[in-house]
């Protein structure tokens, strides 16, 4: 087993410095030619469909990954007819019932995770018949490094179901095609996307193909993102994968991990449009990178696109208000502002007018009811699940379209960090959350995160004026962007920005992102276009 290593290590696994999602530095061992050592738990959420579950467990009983290292946890999501464990199943298999207080696959998977003891956790649908080397193919990557998420292949079968004994025999002898002839199977659009994007090495947003039927990762990475969001009842796999991306994960599909999904995908069913609307409702709130789902700048969303962190200690109330209003009234509109100052010093005291404490107290009174503004004494270690964080002194607070233009540059150039420095030497940082998370994971003792991000994503240095609105937009446009006649920079606040009409702000966001309605969005009724050569929508999710 070979791996090119340049970086730290943890838990016996190397940590190579993978750029974007190009996992080429990792070379997995050939199937059957290595010795596994990591324990694994396969978590199967299930609701009804006992016959399909029986086939899934029969296939799991014939895997090449050692059964001594594997346990299976089936979670009955409160089926109308309680599920049972069949006789033909892996030796270390348990059945638990999803706890009260929730429902759905995400809730059930979390229950399985809580019961899991493996170093690797495999999430597997209860209607998947996997090939004999499926687990081995996915798990071999986790023996190389600890920050990859592996994705298995699948094709769909709408035919009659075989017996568990026939599945066990076919899987164990490597003759699954005899039960499910390839010509009778329906291809998965996920597999087509994986092939088109060089196994996701060339993908800008690889989390979007991580749609759940067969996915595995290290337990530590799973704990980092705190499992599935039980409030997302459809699309929970994509939302989960998005948070993994923000934690710095690399997504590795392995098409040697073959599987047959029993039944056609939900988006081909009778209620396709209703399913799409339900999924997109959740993703619009929880996945800010889906710019195509956030067309209306007047809306408020659960997860912002950018967190703006401003150090306001010692600043006057008027200066702070001008900066905050400039951010909230600018583009993009889905932002949050975190104000750093000694706020706890104000507790239980009545500051005297004319003192810095009085100004801070007044600012807290002004913005306290606004859910977009937060108060902290220091920034959180990560902005996750927010995909971008802009950290600056008050003088470099963005306004108008400056922040939209900066994030657009980050997306277009696939940067991990944008360093903006003005003529007075003041510096603002716009970081991509996934890049910052990967840097924290990989940096050696005393190594600057900027140096790591330069290797994994790229760093650009710029001046505030690089993100001014073009002169051709005219005086009115320049004023709305926060520019003044004498040449303002990204730190200049335009009081008029806060009062800009929503339609104008929507156009501003689209223009700043190169006419794509946000940093990576698509046109009306169209999925975003993270890959220039790919247009349109396939299934429920944009594929990239």
């Amino acid at each position: 087993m070979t791996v090119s290593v340049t970086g730290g290590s943890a838990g016996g696994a190397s940590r190579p410095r993978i750029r974007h999602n190009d996992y080429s530095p990792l070379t997995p061992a050939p199937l059957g030619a290595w010795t596994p050592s990591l324990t694994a738990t396969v978590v199967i959420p299930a609701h009804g469909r006992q016959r399909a579950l029986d086939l899934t467990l029969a296939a799991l009983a014939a895997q090449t990954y050692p059964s001594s290292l594997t346990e299976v946890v089936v979670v009955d999501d409160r089926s109308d007819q309680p599920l049972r464990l069949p006789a033909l199943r892996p030796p270390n298999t348990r059945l638990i019932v999803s706890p009260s207080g929730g429902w759905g696959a995400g809730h059930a998977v979390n229950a399985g995770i809580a019961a899991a003891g493996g170093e690797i956790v495999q999430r597997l649908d209860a209607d998947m018949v996997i090939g004999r080397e499926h687990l081995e193919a996915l798990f071999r990557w986790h023996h190389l490094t600890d920050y990859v998420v592996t994705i298995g292949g699948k094709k769909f079968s709408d035919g009659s179901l075989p017996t568990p004994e026939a599945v066990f025999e076919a899987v164990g002898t490597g003759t699954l095609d005899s039960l499910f002839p390839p010509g009778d199977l329906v291809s998965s659009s996920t597999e087509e996307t994986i092939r088109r994007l060089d196994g996701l090495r060339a993908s800008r947003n690889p989390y979007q193909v991580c749609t759940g039927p067969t996915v595995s990762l290290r337990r530590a990475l799973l704990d980092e993102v705190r499992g599935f969001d039980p409030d997302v009842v459809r699309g929970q796999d994509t939302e989960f994968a998005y948070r993994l991306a923000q934690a710095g994960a690399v997504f590795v599909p392995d098409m040697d991990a073959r599987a047959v999904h029993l039944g056609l995908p939900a988006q081909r069913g009778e209620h396709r449009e209703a399913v799409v609307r339900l999924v997109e409702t959740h993703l619009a709130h929880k996945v800010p990178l889906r710019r195509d789902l956030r067309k209306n700048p007047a809306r408020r969303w659960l997860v912002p696109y950018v967190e703006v962190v401003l150090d306001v200690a010692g600043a006057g109330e008027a200066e702070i208000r001008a900066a905050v209003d400039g951010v909230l009234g600018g583009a993009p509109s889905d932002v949050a502002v975190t104000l750093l100052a000694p706020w706890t010093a104000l507790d239980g005291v009545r500051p005297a007018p004319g003192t810095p404490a009085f100004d801070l107290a007044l600012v807290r009174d002004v913005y306290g009811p606004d859910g977009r503004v937060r108060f902290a004494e220091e920034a959180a270690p990560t902005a996750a699940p927010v995909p971008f964080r802009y950290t600056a002194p008050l003088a470099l607070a963005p306004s108008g379209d400056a922040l939209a233009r900066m994030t657009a540059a980050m997306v277009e150039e696939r940067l991990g960090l944008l360093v903006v420095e003005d003529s007075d030497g003041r510096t603002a940082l716009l970081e991509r959350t996934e890049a910052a998370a990967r840097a924290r994971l990989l940096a050696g003792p005393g190594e600057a995160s900027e140096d790591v991000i330069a290797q994994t994503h790229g760093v650009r240095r710029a001046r505030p004026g690089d993100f001014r609105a073009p002169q051709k937009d005219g005086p009115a446009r320049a004023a709305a962007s926060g520019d003044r006649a004498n040449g303002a920079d990204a730190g200049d606040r335009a009081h008029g920005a806060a009062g800009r009409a929503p339609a104008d702000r929507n156009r501003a966001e689209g223009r700043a992102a190169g006419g794509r309605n946000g940093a990576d969005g698509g046109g009306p009724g169209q999925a975003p276009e993270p890959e220039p050569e790919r247009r349109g929508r396939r299934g429920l999710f944009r594929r990239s």
Side-chain angles (χ1 to χ4, degrees):
M1 191 179 301
T2 344
V3 56
S4 171
V5 177
T6 351
S9 64
S14 301
R15 285 180 176 167
R17 299 197 171 182
I18 295 172
R19 188 169 182 85
H20 298 302
N21 204 63
D22 185 359
Y23 51 88
S24 298
L26 298 174
T27 303
L31 293 172
W34 64 293
T35 303
S37 61
L38 296 175
T39 58
T41 301
V42 180
V43 176
I44 305 175
H47 181 80
R49 300 195 68 191
Q50 179 72 54
R51 288 189 64 198
L53 174 64
D54 292 351
L55 302 188
T56 298
L57 291 174
L60 280 170
Q63 292 296 296
T64 58
Y65 198 81
S67 61
S68 60
L69 295 174
T70 310
E71 67 169 353
V72 178
V73 178
V74 178
V75 186
D76 184 350
D77 188 21
R78 301 187 171 272
S79 303
D80 295 335
Q81 180 69 35
L83 296 172
R84 55 170 178 77
L85 291 181
L88 185 50
R89 64 179 189 264
N92 303 313
T93 302
R94 289 179 283 154
L95 173 64
I96 65 175
V97 177
S98 186
S100 59
W103 64 277
H107 181 71
V109 171
N110 284 344
I113 291 169
E119 297 163 276
I120 301 169
V121 175
Q122 164 80 35
R123 184 252 199 263
L124 185 68
D125 274 1
D127 51 6
M128 292 277 283
V129 174
I130 62 176
R132 66 193 299 265
E133 296 166 326
H134 191 100
L135 297 185
E136 180 188 350
L138 296 183
F139 294 173
R140 58 183 171 169
W141 296 92
H142 302 303
H143 287 70
L144 296 176
T145 192
D146 61 353
Y147 70 106
V148 296
V149 177
T150 56
I151 305 165
K154 66 179 182 295
K155 294 186 184 300
F156 298 93
S157 171
D158 198 28
S160 58
L161 298 182
T163 65
E165 292 75 18
V167 167
F168 178 77
E169 174 69 18
V171 172
T173 57
T175 58
L176 193 59
D177 290 350
S178 64
L179 291 183
F180 302 99
D184 295 344
L185 300 178
V186 178
S187 295
S188 163
S189 60
T190 296
E191 290 190 5
E192 294 172 9
T193 300
I194 288 169
R195 284 192 293 270
R196 178 176 58 84
L197 297 174
D198 189 23
L200 297 186
R201 293 177 184 86
S203 177
R204 288 175 175 263
N205 291 301
Y207 73 88
Q208 291 180 101
V209 304
C210 189
T211 53
T214 170
V215 173
S216 69
L217 67 162
R218 286 286 199 104
R219 176 61 184 260
L221 180 57
L222 180 58
D223 290 342
E224 173 72 17
V225 300
R226 301 182 181 181
F228 283 73
D229 185 340
D231 294 331
V232 181
V233 294
R234 292 304 293 260
Q236 68 271 3
D237 300 311
T238 299
E239 189 277 335
F240 172 65
Y242 165 76
R243 285 186 286 113
L244 287 171
Q246 301 316 303
V250 171
F251 295 85
V252 179
D254 193 323
M255 295 301 99
D256 286 336
R258 299 176 56 216
V260 175
H261 187 286
L262 304 176
L264 298 179
Q267 60 265 41
R268 299 192 185 198
E270 177 185 356
H271 302 293
R272 178 188 183 280
E273 292 302 323
V275 172
V276 169
R277 291 199 304 273
L278 178 58
V279 169
E280 291 189 341
T281 294
H282 288 291
L283 297 188
H285 274 292
K286 299 293 184 79
V287 182
L289 294 181
R290 284 298 303 266
R291 308 309 289 159
D292 62 314
L293 302 179
R294 294 189 175 186
K295 300 290 191 185
N296 185 350
R299 289 282 309 277
R300 294 290 175 262
W301 308 97
L302 287 176
V303 180
Y305 187 53
V306 187
E307 178 193 18
V308 177
V309 179
L310 301 175
D311 186 349
V312 300
E317 176 259 343
E319 184 183 7
I320 297 171
R321 288 183 62 170
V324 175
D325 289 349
V327 173
L328 298 180
S333 57
D334 49 343
V335 297
V337 179
T338 299
L339 302 178
L340 304 182
W343 301 106
T344 56
L346 303 177
D347 296 341
V349 300
R350 186 176 298 173
T355 64
F358 180 85
D359 279 16
L360 284 181
L362 189 55
V363 166
R364 191 166 65 176
D365 289 343
V366 168
Y367 293 108
D370 192 326
R372 297 169 296 173
V373 181
R374 308 159 184 175
F375 305 90
E377 302 209 344
E378 60 181 12
T382 174
V386 180
F388 294 100
R389 173 187 273 175
Y390 181 86
T391 305
L394 199 57
L396 290 181
S399 65
D401 301 341
L403 190 58
R405 294 178 185 280
M406 284 187 271
T407 53
M410 294 278 285
V411 170
E412 184 67 25
E413 300 174 35
R414 304 188 70 185
L415 298 172
L417 180 66
L418 180 64
V419 182
V420 181
E421 185 176 357
D422 71 5
S423 56
D424 293 326
R426 295 172 296 203
T427 300
L429 303 177
L430 178 59
E431 65 181 16
R432 188 187 292 266
T433 301
E434 67 171 71
R438 195 175 298 179
R440 284 193 303 275
L441 188 71
L442 301 178
E447 185 176 16
S449 61
E450 180 178 336
D451 294 338
V452 181
I453 293 174
Q455 297 176 49
T456 63
H457 289 76
V459 176
R460 173 182 162 188
R461 310 189 81 84
R463 291 290 188 181
D466 294 347
F467 305 102
R468 288 200 290 255
Q471 292 299 316
K472 65 181 180 181
D473 284 340
R477 186 73 198 134
S481 301
D483 292 344
R484 291 193 296 265
N486 62 354
D489 64 25
D492 295 323
R493 271 78 63 198
H495 295 283
R500 188 188 312 162
D504 291 336
R505 293 174 63 191
N506 198 25
R507 286 193 294 271
E509 293 185 35
R511 269 189 265 189
R516 293 191 295 170
N517 200 24
D520 56 357
Q526 181 182 358
E529 302 173 87
E531 314 298 338
E533 73 278 8
R534 181 73 164 181
R535 295 181 180 273
R537 187 192 294 268
R538 292 193 68 94
L540 292 179
F541 313 104
R542 58 174 185 157
R543 303 295 188 186
S544 60

